[in-house]
């Protein structure tokens, strides 16, 4: 057994999150579908949210595993934890419209504000500092964290892959919230949740995706991250 395999949620003092209902807003996109699939496969109750119930239900039916589909507002209301995986250009509008439904919820923002030109991907710095900080500003009654930025949508959606060996950097200002998100990440075989700082440090984590895209293009890979000596 490797050192990583021996590090489990109970021994690290992380909570049991197996009974939480998780919704994925933007769950019809590649990243959202992948996260929904992996969490449901791990036994989590998952609801896919979309702007239209028809798209959400179609994606849920295609994925199976007991995943349900609903319009974004319904998905938010019916969950304990909400993963935001919407496109960056719709991030502010989506969250603004769901402020009431997301009140009191643990919100996990995994959106990467990126632009693309002939030289490839580059990071965009939102006025608030990061997508996660924008979410926190728009959702004052929610507990906002940031995580799941560096996962390959291709690997997440590939049913032939049993384990995804990567670390998930989790940021937030609420220890209970970040512990919960770390534990959720560790429901997926091969993943480990690592606390990576307060929400004010989310920008550089979101921006690093631009570097990973460059790695993937050069090496024809689906690169992830490992944090050493932890």
């Amino acid at each position: 057994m490797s050192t990583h395999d021996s590090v489990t949620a109970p021994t690290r003092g992380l909570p049991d999150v197996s009974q939480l209902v998780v919704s994925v807003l933007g769950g019809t996109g590649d990243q959202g579908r992948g996260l929904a699939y992996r969490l449901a496969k791990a036994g989590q109750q998952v609801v896919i949210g979309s702007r239209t119930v028809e798209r959400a239900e179609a994606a849920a039916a295609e994925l199976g595993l007991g995943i349900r589909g609903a319009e974004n507002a319904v998905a938010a209301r019916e969950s304990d934890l909400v993963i935001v995986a919407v496109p960056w250009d719709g991030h502010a509008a989506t969250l603004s419209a769901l402020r009431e439904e997301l009140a009191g919820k643990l919100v996990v923002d995994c959106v990467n504000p990126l632009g693309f030109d002939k030289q490839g991907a580059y990071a965009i710095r939102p006025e608030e500092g990061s997508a996660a900080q924008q979410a926190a500003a728009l959702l004052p009654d929610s507990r906002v964290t940031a995580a799941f930025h560096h996962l390959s949508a291709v690997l997440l959606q590939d049913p032939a892959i049993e384990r995804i060996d990567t670390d998930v950097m989790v940021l937030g200002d609420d220890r209970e919230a970040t512990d919960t998100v770390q534990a959720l990440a560790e429901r997926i075989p091969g993943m480990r949740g690592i606390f990576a700082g307060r929400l004010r440090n989310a920008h550089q984590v979101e921006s690093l995706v631009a570097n990973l895209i460059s790695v993937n293009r050069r090496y024809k890979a689906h690169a992830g991250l490992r944090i050493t000596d932890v």
Side-chain angles (χ1 to χ4, degrees), residues 51 72 84 86-97 111 134 138:
R51 286 177 295 178
N72 278 333
V84 180
V86 299
W88 167 240
D89 59 7
H91 184 260
T94 299
L95 296 185
S96 295
V111 175
Q134 183 183 87
L138 294 171

Side-chain angles (χ1 to χ4, degrees), residues 14-217:
L14 298 179
D16 179 5
V17 297
S18 60
Q19 299 305 308
L20 294 183
V21 178
V22 177
S23 69
V24 184
L25 306 185
T28 58
D30 288 340
Q31 192 79 357
R33 284 170 61 93
L35 284 168
Y37 170 72
R38 289 291 164 177
L39 290 170
K41 190 175 181 181
Q44 211 73 35
Q45 298 180 66
V46 176
V47 184
I48 281 179
S50 180
R51 286 177 295 178
T52 65
V53 66
E54 292 82 10
R55 288 187 65 198
E57 289 179 343
E62 186 177 341
L63 291 173
L65 299 171
I67 297 171
R68 294 184 289 121
E71 190 270 332
N72 278 333
V74 175
R77 279 197 301 268
E78 294 185 352
S79 61
D80 303 301
L81 183 151
V82 179
I83 297 174
V84 180
V86 299
W88 167 240
D89 59 7
H91 184 260
T94 299
L95 296 185
S96 295
L98 297 173
R99 177 173 172 173
E100 182 178 339
E101 288 82 3
L102 292 172
K105 307 287 185 180
L106 200 172
V107 175
V108 185
D109 201 297
C110 68
V111 175
N112 303 304
L114 297 176
F116 295 87
D117 60 19
K118 292 181 179 179
Q119 297 183 62
Y122 62 92
I124 297 171
R125 191 178 188 100
E127 182 179 345
E128 298 85 356
S130 64
Q133 287 171 293
Q134 183 183 87
L138 294 171
L139 304 172
D141 299 318
S142 304
R143 293 186 295 158
V144 176
T145 63
F148 300 117
H149 300 91
H150 306 134
L151 306 181
S152 163
V154 173
L155 298 184
L156 287 173
Q157 294 184 86
D158 188 343
I161 296 175
E162 292 295 326
R163 292 175 57 88
I164 300 179
D165 291 314
T166 190
D167 287 338
V168 174
M169 298 176 74
V170 181
L171 300 98
D173 299 327
D174 179 318
R175 175 66 181 268
E176 182 182 2
T178 56
D179 281 357
T180 298
V181 178
Q182 286 178 249
L184 184 67
E186 297 193 1
R187 296 275 287 162
I188 301 174
M191 289 191 191
R192 184 175 62 156
I194 299 291
F195 175 72
R198 292 184 174 271
L199 212 60
R200 68 181 184 181
N201 290 319
H203 171 67
Q204 53 265 41
V205 173
E206 296 170 1
S207 300
L208 189 58
V209 174
N211 301 90
L212 289 177
I213 290 172
S214 297
V215 170
N216 290 336
R217 287 181 173 174

